[in-house]
Amino acid sequence: MTTRRLHATDLEQASAVCMASFMQAVAPSLSPEGIATFAAIVSVDGIASRFSDDNDMFVFEADGQVVGVAELIGGQHVATLFVAPGHQGKGVGRALMQAVLACARSEVVTVRASLGSVAAYQRFGFQVAGPVGEYAGLVYQPMERALPTP
């Protein structure tokens, strides 16, 4: 089991992990618009389009399979953190979050957490940073985590 940077060959597995986790935990509370928005963001093409940007993308691999995915945009915003349903609660999310935070280039890291994931982000040291918002059908809680200065 290891955390490593996403490779182009991981795109299909990464997309599948994000969708499986999302469909189980988040989709039931969203509108069809929100589900479609998310599906486009984590589609193979969606992930590939961000692969070369100023993003740090990681996977957690177990037995040769991608079971977790995380993305940090611009060194300051957690865009994705998903763990395959059968691997949740086993430290995969924590390992991915550590990798993401190690790449942070800002004093504060932000996330738009799905409402069901707020408690998980609080365990990672994030705090609520404003009212619940919505974007293209995706409902989220803005959160942030101040990082220690070197």
Side-chain angles (χ1 to χ4, degrees):
M1 297 192 305
T2 184
T3 302
R4 62 170 173 78
R5 290 203 176 262
L6 177 100
H7 302 145
T9 55
D10 298 321
L11 292 173
E12 286 187 28
Q13 286 186 55
S15 175
V17 165
C18 291
M19 279 307 297
S21 180
F22 173 84
M23 291 306 289
Q24 181 183 50
V26 183
S29 67
L30 296 180
S31 68
E33 178 191 19
I35 294 168
T37 298
F38 183 81
I41 291 168
V42 300
S43 69
V44 170
D45 290 341
I47 296 171
S49 73
R50 297 187 309 279
F51 189 54
S52 61
D53 289 346
D54 185 25
N55 297 344
D56 293 293
M57 301 171 124
F58 296 93
V59 297
F60 189 95
E61 190 176 55
D63 299 323
Q65 295 295 311
V66 172
V67 299
V69 180
E71 176 181 3
L72 183 70
I73 295 177
Q76 67 184 11
H77 181 75
V78 178
T80 58
L81 178 62
F82 289 94
V83 176
H87 293 271
Q88 294 174 2
K90 299 178 181 178
V92 174
R94 183 163 301 283
L96 287 165
M97 182 58 70
Q98 288 172 347
V100 161
L101 293 176
C103 293
R105 301 184 310 269
S106 175
E107 292 179 8
V108 175
V109 173
T110 61
V111 66
R112 290 180 173 178
S114 64
L115 301 185
S117 68
V118 169
Y121 280 103
Q122 287 174 324
R123 287 191 297 274
F124 296 143
F126 285 78
Q127 297 179 348
V128 170
V132 170
E134 181 178 345
Y135 167 77
L138 295 174
V139 179
Y140 62 88
Q141 174 62 64
M143 300 183 79
E144 64 185 25
R145 176 179 168 173
L147 298 178
T149 53

